[in-house]
Amino acid sequence: MRVLGIESSCDETGLAIYDTERGLLAHALYSQIALHAEYGGVVPELASRDHIRRTVPLLRKVLAESGTSLAETDAIAYTQGPGLAGALLVGAAFASGLAVALDKPILPIHHLEGHLLSPLLSPDPPDFPFVALLVSGGHTQLMLVEAAGRYELLGETLDDAAGEAFDKTAKLMGLDYPGGAALSILAETGRSGRYRLPRPMLNSGDLNFSFAGLKTAALTIIRNEKNNPRETLAQFHADLALAFQDAVVEVLTMKSVEALRRTGVLRLVVAGGVGANRALRRSLDMAAAEDKARVYYPEFQFCTDNGAMIAFAGAMRLTHGTTPQHPGSFSVRPRWPLAEEEGADTSAT
């Protein structure tokens, strides 16, 4: 069974072809970072227009690299949500048009489900069940994954997600977009112990998160240090970046380990853009090893939004009996909690 996947939820256009027997045949990705950099963030209208420009060339690329034709595609999967409405519509309309022209079934995929299952694309994938830490853009959640389509929400952020907190704090420092990645790089030259930021909800007794206060704490330090002598502005920012990253990493690590203990599961999957943070990976690996658990990560190329995870999620859905939509019928869901996905458990532990 061969599935074409289309991802266009925000500022990356991704297409891929996944075969249930041969694996991932090809994938292509175009990032809009350069387009949005001068604005300091994603401009929805520009993002939508760029998806229109990139989708057909990327489709031609994956077809050529996979050595397949559209006629050999068995189904088309697209990101239905969550994301930017206009950007989602580009991918959904393109997928629907192809489905009608080819008379192929169409599969709407939850963006976070794609991230959730992306580590299964690795050469050494985890077995079910596993606990998943989703740290993607505006989402920070802990999920118990019993099988494809069977998800139980364990905890989630009550305000800013970890990725949002990274980006907002980076903006306070004047770092270029995308700020989160720039802050992580800057933290590598920071001096440990100069600042200590709060660890929000670390001892809350549940598995929820809150990161909005970290941005405020960082802003307070920036204001207090504004007129104080220091070695260099760059070193000050590096020290603060390290303190900020340490706080986020500690909270994510402790909550993830607690989720493993509560569920009795010994496998942790980390998915989403923040999952590429090397400090977080080191911390999770060390903490999990103490409980004889193992952490699984998607390959770095699949940490950001990509078409491969959508194609794979579509293939998994078909394999597990999901009924595709009729060609020509499509919709988008800009706001779509994963707990509302078909087969998910809406209760939180």
Side-chain angles (χ1 to χ4, degrees):
M1 188 175 297
R2 193 166 295 167
V3 178
L4 169 66
I6 302 171
E7 156 62 27
S8 67
S9 64
C10 189
D11 59 347
E12 276 121 356
T13 314
L15 278 83
I17 297 176
Y18 183 86
D19 189 289
T20 53
E21 294 183 0
R22 297 169 54 194
L24 184 63
L25 302 184
H27 73 97
L29 182 71
Y30 182 84
S31 173
Q32 300 177 4
I33 287 178
L35 174 65
H36 301 290
E38 64 178 297
Y39 303 100
V42 177
V43 181
E45 180 64 24
L46 295 181
S48 302
R49 293 181 181 183
D50 202 60
H51 286 307
I52 294 172
R53 286 192 291 266
R54 308 297 174 181
T55 305
V56 171
L58 290 178
L59 174 61
R60 291 172 177 160
K61 183 176 181 180
V62 295
L63 289 174
E65 291 182 357
S66 65
T68 62
S69 66
L70 280 174
E72 296 174 284
T73 301
D74 296 300
I76 300 169
Y78 70 94
T79 301
Q80 187 180 33
L84 301 175
L88 290 168
L89 279 169
V90 174
F94 186 73
S96 180
L98 285 177
V100 170
L102 301 169
D103 193 25
K104 302 291 184 180
I106 188 170
L107 287 156
I109 300 297
H110 196 293
H111 177 77
L112 294 185
E113 182 175 32
H115 278 301
L116 194 70
L117 299 177
S118 60
L120 299 177
L121 288 164
S122 302
D124 182 23
D127 294 324
F128 295 110
F130 56 79
V131 169
L133 172 64
L134 282 172
V135 276
S136 170
H139 306 275
T140 299
Q141 297 176 322
L142 280 165
M143 308 286 296
L144 174 61
V145 182
E146 297 181 355
R150 293 177 57 192
Y151 314 123
E152 178 186 347
L153 178 65
L154 302 175
E156 61 185 340
T157 185
L158 303 181
D159 42 55
D160 283 358
E164 289 177 312
F166 264 98
D167 288 341
K168 290 178 180 179
T169 302
K171 193 168 186 177
L172 292 175
M173 297 181 186
L175 301 180
D176 292 335
Y177 170 85
L183 188 148
S184 297
I185 294 173
L186 185 60
E188 295 177 1
T189 60
R191 296 175 298 188
S192 180
R194 183 173 183 182
Y195 302 105
R196 179 173 174 80
L197 297 179
R199 272 59 172 165
M201 298 188 69
L202 186 62
N203 300 307
S204 62
D206 55 33
L207 297 176
N208 291 324
F209 303 91
S210 171
F211 294 107
L214 275 177
K215 176 200 66 177
T216 303
L219 177 60
T220 299
I221 292 175
I222 291 172
R223 287 174 173 171
N224 290 341
E225 293 282 339
K226 185 175 182 180
N227 298 316
N228 291 341
R230 49 180 176 262
E231 295 174 85
T232 64
L233 180 62
Q235 187 61 60
F236 162 62
H237 282 166
D239 295 343
L240 181 57
L242 178 59
F244 175 86
Q245 179 175 266
D246 285 346
V248 174
V249 166
E250 183 175 347
V251 172
L252 291 176
T253 299
M254 298 304 291
K255 294 278 186 174
S256 297
V257 170
E258 180 62 21
L260 291 175
R261 292 171 179 168
R262 293 190 184 192
T263 59
V265 175
L266 295 177
R267 289 175 291 274
L268 174 68
V269 160
V270 183
V274 181
N277 184 285
R278 297 183 186 277
L280 177 60
R281 291 190 174 209
R282 289 193 298 268
S283 178
L284 287 171
D285 286 340
M286 291 177 60
E290 292 180 2
D291 284 4
K292 295 182 171 53
R294 182 179 172 187
V295 188
Y296 295 81
Y297 307 93
E299 297 178 35
F300 278 106
Q301 62 181 330
F302 299 137
C303 285
T304 59
D305 298 347
N306 62 87
M309 68 183 192
I310 303 303
F312 179 73
M316 292 286 282
R317 281 279 173 179
L318 284 177
T319 301
H320 288 78
T322 296
T323 302
Q325 289 185 348
H326 187 274
S329 172
F330 72 91
S331 62
V332 297
R333 301 182 66 178
R335 296 184 181 275
W336 185 13
L338 183 57
E340 295 179 4
E341 170 67 296
E342 178 184 353
D345 188 331
T346 58
S347 63
T349 300

